[in-house]
Amino acid sequence: MNNIDRLHSPKVMKDILSKYGFRFSKGLGQNFLIDGNILDKICDGINLGKEDEVIEIGPGIGTLTQALAERSKKVVAIEIDKKLIPILGDTLSSYDNVEIVNSDVLKLDLNELIEEKFENKKVKLAANLPYYITTPIIMKLLEDKVNLESIIVMVQKEVAERMQASPGTKAYGALSIAVQYYCNPEIVTIVPKNVFIPKPNVDSAVIRLDVYDKPKVKVKDEKLFFNVVKGAFSHRRKTLLNSLSASGIGVSKDQIKDMLDNLGIKENIRGEKLSIEDMGRLSDMIYELNNK
Ligand code: SAM
């Protein structure tokens, strides 16, 4: 295959899929991109340059991989489906800066992979994966503090909105805080259904996550912080006070009332109004109380 035969052309894609008798797997979330503009937006979105090194998860037939390879120094692409490996060998044959790893990303230690393939340098990560595993994978990358500069990922549109949401908006919740604790999220573009073959049921968005060197707020106990966040949003129609005291976090209603009072926060506030900084301060107060 010639690298001028752009895979995002539906005809080129259909020809290559029929050459290999490839059948899409719904379970593996195989919806392949057929829009060159979106590929450009993804590469521009992470400000990809010739010095950058990239991990791609879920290359499919290599559509985005080609774009990444042309604009960066090196790409290591991880694909679970062994039926795609010969296709990728074909579509990426003219790129000498691409390596394919046939593996399930959920079973890989990405820090080890970065050590082995990138000499432990900070890399950028691009992914377009089945949506039901995308959020858990992003959270695992962030929680494991994988050595990443930024992540650019295709997610369901509503999930992107929740990741980027600010306090007081409808989309703001535990996911917003969990993501914003580790990185700065920014929606790059909304992606309509018709730029994929086959067409998915939902609209998508490309979101960039710029990973902080240190979490956005410094808390005394990270595990407790995330439990407080979970507790604060566990009963969306209840006030923060009722939601937290019902969440089994081990503090009484009166104690939470005192803490909110100390923080200058009204006791009838709902969790969705609280900033990540306030949530951090509240969690530290609970920590102090539990460790007196
Ligand atoms: N990047 C290509 C594109 O945009 O056209 C394909 C994206 S498609 C939505 C998702 C890809 O992720 C498929 O190629 C699928 O086989 C692969 N995949 C699914 N689960 C995976 C996993 N656990 N580890 C690695 N790759 C996976």
Side-chain angles (χ1 to χ4, degrees):
M1 159 131 205
N2 188 312
N3 72 357
I4 302 161
D5 293 337
R6 293 284 176 231
L7 292 166
H8 58 75
S9 142
K11 180 175 179 323
V12 175
M13 182 175 294
K14 280 182 179 150
D15 285 352
I16 190 119
L17 293 176
S18 84
K19 178 176 163 194
Y20 285 88
F22 181 81
R23 284 168 172 269
F24 291 99
S25 154
K26 242 189 171 172
L28 292 177
Q30 289 174 338
N31 304 89
F32 297 160
L33 268 170
I34 46 161
D35 186 319
N37 281 328
I38 303 288
L39 301 176
D40 286 340
K41 283 185 181 165
I42 294 174
C43 293
D44 292 342
I46 39 166
N47 200 10
L48 203 60
K50 274 287 169 205
E51 288 313 304
D52 286 323
E53 303 191 291
V54 188
I55 295 178
E56 185 191 5
I57 317 178
I61 60 165
T63 317
L64 175 61
T65 326
Q66 288 187 337
L68 296 170
E70 271 169 33
R71 292 184 48 173
S72 71
K73 188 168 165 193
K74 174 175 167 175
V75 183
V76 174
I78 304 158
E79 173 56 59
I80 192 171
D81 187 351
K82 65 176 187 310
K83 294 194 299 306
L84 286 168
I85 304 305
I87 302 183
L88 286 164
D90 188 351
T91 58
L92 300 169
S93 59
S94 39
Y95 297 91
D96 58 9
N97 59 344
V98 179
E99 188 181 330
I100 304 297
V101 176
N102 182 200
S103 181
D104 178 349
V105 70
L106 296 168
K107 297 191 178 142
L108 275 185
D109 179 334
L110 283 191
N111 267 328
E112 245 171 47
L113 182 120
I114 292 175
E115 206 178 308
E116 188 190 320
K117 312 260 185 216
F118 300 96
E119 293 165 353
N120 239 350
K121 270 191 265 158
K122 261 199 177 162
V123 296
K124 295 183 173 177
L125 185 138
N128 179 10
L129 282 166
Y131 289 161
Y132 68 93
I133 59 167
T134 305
T135 307
I137 287 180
I138 294 173
M139 289 320 301
K140 189 166 177 347
L141 293 172
L142 297 173
E143 284 160 12
D144 290 354
K145 307 205 163 51
V146 173
N147 205 10
L148 299 171
E149 183 183 328
S150 53
I151 299 172
I152 193 145
V153 63
M154 184 87 73
V155 288
Q156 199 173 322
K157 183 171 159 252
E158 290 71 22
V159 173
E161 286 164 354
R162 281 165 51 208
M163 287 179 173
Q164 193 186 268
S166 310
T169 62
K170 217 172 133 207
Y172 187 67
L175 180 65
S176 326
I177 295 193
V179 167
Q180 292 169 28
Y181 177 74
Y182 295 107
C183 54
N184 182 48
E186 194 172 319
I187 293 176
V188 171
T189 188
I190 302 298
V191 183
K193 298 173 192 148
N194 60 359
V195 301
F196 295 97
I197 290 179
K199 203 159 124 179
N201 296 324
V202 292
D203 284 327
S204 306
V206 172
I207 189 162
R208 183 187 67 238
L209 310 170
D210 290 318
V211 184
Y212 298 134
D213 287 333
K214 285 195 201 124
K216 174 148 188 195
V217 291
K218 193 169 178 325
V219 292
K220 296 205 156 93
D221 180 341
E222 228 170 48
K223 195 164 165 234
L224 175 67
F225 171 73
F226 284 111
N227 281 337
V228 171
V229 171
K230 222 162 100 196
F233 292 101
S234 57
H235 301 86
R236 269 201 96 94
R237 281 196 303 261
K238 286 190 181 172
T239 61
L240 174 70
L241 183 63
N242 287 333
S243 193
L244 261 186
S245 51
S247 71
I249 208 148
V251 273
S252 71
K253 226 172 171 171
D254 283 341
Q255 288 170 321
I256 300 173
K257 243 187 220 175
D258 283 347
M259 291 179 204
L260 292 179
D261 201 34
N262 270 336
L263 289 169
I265 295 171
K266 285 193 196 126
E267 71 173 59
N268 64 351
I269 199 169
R270 287 179 196 279
E272 54 262 41
K273 289 264 159 72
L274 226 61
S275 68
I276 188 166
E277 288 82 3
D278 282 340
M279 209 63 93
R281 284 190 273 269
L282 186 59
S283 140
D284 279 357
M285 281 182 157
I286 298 175
Y287 177 87
E288 296 290 354
L289 191 78
N290 290 341
N291 290 279
K292 249 196 210 157

